[in-house]
């Protein structure tokens, strides 16, 4: 199960962050998810990884562009990220996050800085920052179903065993 | 008022749909991750094994024991499940699929971001991640949001020394890295009939670099003639007054040789402006520009000359490799001092066969120049095979029109 609402501290990154920067190609060939969490954002800023536990990752536009590597989404979840919020996402990364049970919200959080407390509700589609409320673009019912199952593996497992 | 995406997907833009997938392909990297998800689903039966392709290209041949073990597991799975399997040396997944495995009007999903390449056939082709691919294996279907479309209306002819890659880099620069996010691109206009399949594949390949879901050409006589080589017939498609959310007009006569500069694919400068920039390595290959015609254009420049910097050539597929051997252009490249690697992705993703060191500069015919992608602390410029070859001779970025 994935929690679709919660609270965490903001970790802010820039715009057009590609999935190579989330997890570099040299770490992809393994089944050990911890490897990806250990090396997340290594080529962007090695100081980021230790701050991701319980974090709301706030990115600029076009988050997750580039390679289709699902390991990027898994790395963020394994490192402890609760939700990824950005004004726009690259579509494959957006699908990947939902498919591995990491909530994503399309929302422009103006005035957000590192360390601020963020409250969010993915189902109702809002984000609160310093007493200000922002609305996010709604997810489709299918995306909500997949997220609520905890990811596409559990979603299909539930359906195929019926 | 129907775009080609709307016609193929059978629903208006903005609609969420479930559709049967005609071809579902993965490579060694995403395929093993899809198999891990598939195992977590309880290893059910594949819904439609004859639509599933697994093609080894990313780390091919394997670079270490860990990769070899993962590849062995996926190889065994592929044989057990009777899917189409292409082992090391067959070529890059998009190129292999383009060699007679995709037809106009089909829905083609690949577990790789550059799967949009195959829109060149008038198919709806797009990329997904590993979990989505596992979902397609077990259900035979996927969900899609029918995209809006930006239309590129092409006129005129390319001038000497200018290539389809220069058009690709130029249209990405016009849109920006997220200029077509969630959209499809359609290429139409009077010039499309003059664009060969290899050029269409290059143009559609880079659609994702503007965030697009796919890039499409309408299937025409060029498509039919190409597929005829594989004993396949194809119905032609024609625009039905498509409703575009944005129209961009490009006159091919106006284009010049360009390079994308570090580290953004949407930031270009003319090769002439960059002339004299020193380089350490040239790479000619990838799903963008590793086809036979690309190698032939490079060989035409390099024949009888010597490269001044290390130059790596990687054919996109076994068929391209074989043809380059038979026509003799591969020998021309080798005699010019190029190193030829086995068909596949080569150093494009920075994992093997030509990774760069700190402070080094590469000129590459690939589609991405993200920071650190092809080696930590190195810089990458992207260009056409002709510009790459001309620059290899001088050891610095060169306007190819000075050489051809």
């Amino acid at each position: 199960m994935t929690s679709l609402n919660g609270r965490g501290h903001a970790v802010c990154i820039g715009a057009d962050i590609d999935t190579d920067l989330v997890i570099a190609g040299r770490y992809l060939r393994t089944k050990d998810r911890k490897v990806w969490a250990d090396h997340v954002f290594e080529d962007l800023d090695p100081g980021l990884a230790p701050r991701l536990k319980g974090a709301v990752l706030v990115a600029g536009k076009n988050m997750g562009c580039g390679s289709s590597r699902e390991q990027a989404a898994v790395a963020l979840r394994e490192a402890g990220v609760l939700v990824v919020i950005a004004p726009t996402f690259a579509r494959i990364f957006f699908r990947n996050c939902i498919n591995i049970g990491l909530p994503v919200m399309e929302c422009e959080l103006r005035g957000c800085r590192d360390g601020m407390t963020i409250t969010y509700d993915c189902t109702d589609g809002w984000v609160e920052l310093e007493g200000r409320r922002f609305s996010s673009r709604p997810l489709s019912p299918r995306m909500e179903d997949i997220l609520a199952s905890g990811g596409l593996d559990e979603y299909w497992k539930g359906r195929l065993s019926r | 008022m129907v775009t080609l995406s709307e016609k193929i997907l059978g629903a208006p833009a903005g609609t969420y749909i479930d559709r049967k997938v005609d071809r579902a392909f993965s490579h060694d990297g995403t395929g093993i991750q899809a198999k891990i998800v598939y195992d977590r689903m309880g290893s059910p039966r594949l819904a439609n094994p004859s639509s599933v392709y697994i093609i080894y290209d990313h780390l091919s041949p394997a670079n270490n024991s860990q990769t070899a073990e993962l590849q062995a597991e996926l190889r065994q799975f592929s044989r057990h499940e009777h899917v189409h399997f292409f082992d090391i040396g067959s070529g890059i997944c998009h190129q292999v699929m383009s060699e007679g495995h995709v037809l106009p009007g089909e829905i083609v999903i690949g577990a790789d971001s550059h799967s949009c390449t195959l829109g060149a056939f008038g198919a709806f082709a797009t990329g997904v991640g590993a979990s989505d691919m596992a979902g397609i294996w077990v259900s035979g279907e996927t969900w899609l949001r029918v995209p809006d479309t930006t239309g590129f209306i092409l006129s005129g002819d390319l001038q000497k020394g200018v290539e389809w890659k220069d058009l690709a880099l130029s249209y990405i620069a016009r849109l920006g890295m997220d200029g077509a996010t969630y959209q499809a691109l359609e290429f139409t206009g009077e010039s499309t009939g003059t664009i060969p399949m290899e050029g269409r594949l290059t143009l559609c390949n880079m659609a994702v670099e503007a965030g697009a879901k796919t890039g499409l050409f309408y299937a025409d006589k060029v498509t039919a003639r190409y597929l005829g080589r594989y004993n396949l017939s194809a119905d032609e498609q024609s625009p039905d007054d498509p409703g575009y959310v944005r129209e961009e007009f490009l006159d091919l006569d106006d284009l010049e040789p360009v390079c994308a500069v570090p580290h953004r694919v949407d930031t270009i400068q003319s090769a002439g402006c960059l002339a004299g920039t020193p380089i350490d390595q040239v790479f000619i290959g990838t799903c963008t520009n590793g086809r036979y015609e690309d190698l032939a254009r490079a060989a035409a420049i390099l024949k009888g000359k010597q490269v001044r910097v290390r130059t790596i050539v990687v054919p996109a597929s076994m068929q391209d490799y074989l043809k380059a051997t038979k026509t003799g252009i591969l020998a021309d490249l080798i005699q010019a001092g190029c190193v030829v690697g086995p068909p596949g992705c080569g150093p494009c993703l920075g994992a093997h066969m030509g990774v760069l060191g700190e402070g080094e500069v590469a000129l590459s015919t690939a589609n991405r120049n993200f920071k650190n992608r092809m080696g930590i602390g190195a810089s990458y410029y992207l260009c056409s095979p002709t510009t790459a070859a001309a620059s290899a001779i001088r050891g610095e970025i060169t306007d190819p029109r000075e050489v051809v």
Side-chain angles (χ1 to χ4, degrees), chain B residues 88-170:
Chain B
I88 61 162
S90 302
I92 306 172
C93 56
H94 313 297
Q95 183 60 20
V96 171
M97 291 303 292
S98 80
E99 293 168 349
H101 299 285
V102 169
L103 291 171
E106 290 187 333
I107 296 176
V108 180
I109 308 287
D112 186 272
S113 60
H114 291 109
S115 304
C116 50
T117 307
L118 297 158
F121 291 97
F124 189 86
T126 192
V128 296
S131 292
D132 267 324
M133 184 50 65
I136 294 167
W137 287 355
V138 302
S139 70
E141 296 183 357
T142 195
W143 68 267
L144 292 163
R145 183 175 177 275
V146 182
D148 287 322
T149 296
T150 286
F152 268 97
I153 293 96
L154 308 176
S155 59
D157 298 296
L158 291 183
Q159 298 300 298
K160 193 173 182 187
V162 185
E163 292 185 12
W164 307 115
K165 179 61 168 292
D166 296 304
L167 171 56
L169 292 170
S170 300

Side-chain angles (χ1 to χ4, degrees), chain B residues 107-264:
Chain B
I107 296 176
V108 180
I109 308 287
D112 186 272
S113 60
H114 291 109
S115 304
C116 50
T117 307
L118 297 158
F121 291 97
F124 189 86
T126 192
V128 296
S131 292
D132 267 324
M133 184 50 65
I136 294 167
W137 287 355
V138 302
S139 70
E141 296 183 357
T142 195
W143 68 267
L144 292 163
R145 183 175 177 275
V146 182
D148 287 322
T149 296
T150 286
F152 268 97
I153 293 96
L154 308 176
S155 59
D157 298 296
L158 291 183
Q159 298 300 298
K160 193 173 182 187
V162 185
E163 292 185 12
W164 307 115
K165 179 61 168 292
D166 296 304
L167 171 56
L169 292 170
S170 300
Y171 89 69
I172 298 294
R174 187 177 290 196
L175 290 174
M177 270 172 75
D178 63 342
T181 299
Y182 311 129
Q183 293 184 8
L185 304 179
E186 275 187 15
F187 299 94
T188 63
E190 62 185 41
S191 299
T192 50
T194 67
I195 306 180
M197 279 315 299
E198 50 108 358
R200 297 179 187 196
L201 290 161
T202 300
L203 290 165
C204 293
N205 174 268
M206 291 202 66
V208 70
E209 306 310 330
K213 192 172 278 190
T214 189
L216 299 114
F217 274 82
Y218 287 82
D220 60 5
K221 290 185 173 59
V222 175
T223 324
R225 204 161 45 237
Y226 178 95
L227 289 171
R229 284 173 16 204
Y230 299 96
N231 295 319
L232 296 169
S233 57
D235 292 334
E236 290 185 26
Q237 303 160 325
S238 54
D240 181 13
D241 188 22
Y244 296 138
V245 292
R246 176 176 175 183
E247 282 188 357
E248 290 289 337
F249 294 84
L250 265 167
D251 186 341
L252 306 189
D253 290 288
D254 295 341
L255 297 175
E256 56 180 349
V258 292
C259 298
V261 301
H263 296 281
R264 288 185 68 98

Side-chain angles (χ1 to χ4, degrees), chain B residues 271-292:
Chain B
C273 277
L274 292 165
T277 306
I279 49 178
D280 300 293
Q281 178 173 301
V282 169
F283 170 40
I284 300 169
T286 78
C287 50
T288 320
N289 281 127
R291 282 173 270 283
Y292 172 79

